[in-house]
Amino acid sequence: MRYDKGHKDETRRHILDVASAKFRESGIAAVGLAGIMSEAGLTNGAFYTHFASKEDLVREVLTDALTRREERHEANLENGVALETTIRDYLSARHRDRAGTGCPTAALVAEIARHPKATRDAFTGKVADIIVLMAEQIRHGSAKDRRRKAITIYSIMVGALQLARAVNDKQLSDEILENAVDAAVTIASQR
């Protein structure tokens, strides 16, 4: 059977999108290839046309999802969006409640620490890029100070989102987000 030009790329993109959502919702270890391919409407055998292994898929998902996050940071920077807006958007109840479409760092960071070097290298590179962009949004201080603040703010954001998702008390979860916003915005605005 002949497929239209671009079919293979579209199928690969579809697998990436399905896997990305499933990994973020349930965790990498909990999601099998059969489940991904079933939800994508494809056979298990079709997987190996696009990816060499599950680890290859994980690396591609991370790179893709973090590239999209990076593009949002770049757009914010180009459009003069304040870092405070980025912080508030990230530490929102909406983001907390939609892990499947949210930041892959907050959803997967604990698992990534146990993955092979190549996957961690891909993750590290993308996180470093995001930190650079966040540092560019900070208005005060030397380049070294802005980088230090960006690392601290990103760490607060990721950790607070993870904690807010993990607790089963909505009021406490909301408080975690609100207090993290306050702390991150304070750091961003320090001279």
Side-chain angles (χ1 to χ4, degrees), residues 7 15 23 25 35 40 58 72 74-75 93 141-142 145 159 186 188 191:
H7 175 77
I15 295 167
F23 289 160
E25 288 168 0
V58 168
R72 288 172 73 187
E74 286 173 345
S142 67
D145 285 341
T186 297
R191 291 189 181 265

Side-chain angles (χ1 to χ4, degrees), residues 97-126:
D97 298 341
R98 296 182 181 162
T101 58
C103 176
T105 302
L108 302 172
V109 70
E111 284 188 89
I112 298 307
R114 294 184 287 276
H115 277 258
K117 184 180 181 320
T119 300
R120 291 177 60 219
D121 286 348
F123 178 77
T124 300
K126 287 298 177 185

Side-chain angles (χ1 to χ4, degrees), residues 165-183:
R165 285 177 175 163
V167 300
N168 63 0
D169 178 332
K170 186 181 179 317
Q171 182 179 346
L172 176 58
S173 180
D174 289 343
E175 286 180 286
I176 291 166
L177 294 176
E178 290 165 15
N179 285 290
V181 166
D182 290 346

Side-chain angles (χ1 to χ4, degrees), residues 5-180:
K5 185 177 180 177
H7 175 77
K8 185 174 180 180
D9 291 338
E10 289 173 18
T11 301
R12 179 183 172 83
R13 168 89 262 150
H14 183 57
I15 295 167
L16 278 171
D17 290 343
V18 168
S20 186
K22 289 183 82 61
F23 289 160
R24 287 186 255 186
E25 288 168 0
S26 303
I28 296 166
V31 176
L33 293 180
I36 292 168
M37 296 308 284
S38 175
E39 188 161 323
L42 300 164
T43 65
N44 290 352
F47 174 83
Y48 294 100
T49 301
H50 302 280
F51 303 96
S53 64
K54 182 178 178 182
E55 194 61 36
D56 182 36
L57 175 63
V58 168
R59 209 168 22 260
E60 290 289 327
V61 162
L62 284 172
T63 300
D64 179 66
L66 287 168
T67 296
R68 290 178 185 203
R69 270 256 160 227
E70 185 180 356
E71 289 167 353
R72 288 172 73 187
H73 282 281
E74 286 173 345
N76 286 349
L77 191 58
E78 289 171 10
N79 295 316
V81 174
L83 182 55
E84 180 176 346
T85 302
T86 301
I87 293 166
R88 289 185 184 284
D89 181 54
Y90 191 96
L91 292 172
S92 67
R94 177 190 46 75
H95 190 199
R96 175 197 61 205
D97 298 341
R98 296 182 181 162
T101 58
C103 176
T105 302
L108 302 172
V109 70
E111 284 188 89
I112 298 307
R114 294 184 287 276
H115 277 258
K117 184 180 181 320
T119 300
R120 291 177 60 219
D121 286 348
F123 178 77
T124 300
K126 287 298 177 185
V127 167
D129 292 343
I130 290 169
I131 288 169
V132 166
L133 291 168
M134 288 180 74
E136 289 181 38
Q137 283 185 283
I138 296 172
R139 308 238 186 277
H140 308 291
S142 67
K144 183 178 179 180
D145 285 341
R146 290 192 314 270
R147 178 175 172 78
R148 181 185 54 78
K149 288 178 185 179
I151 290 169
T152 303
I153 291 166
Y154 193 54
S155 299
I156 289 170
M157 290 166 58
V158 171
L161 188 59
Q162 286 181 300
L163 191 57
R165 285 177 175 163
V167 300
N168 63 0
D169 178 332
K170 186 181 179 317
Q171 182 179 346
L172 176 58
S173 180
D174 289 343
E175 286 180 286
I176 291 166
L177 294 176
E178 290 165 15
N179 285 290

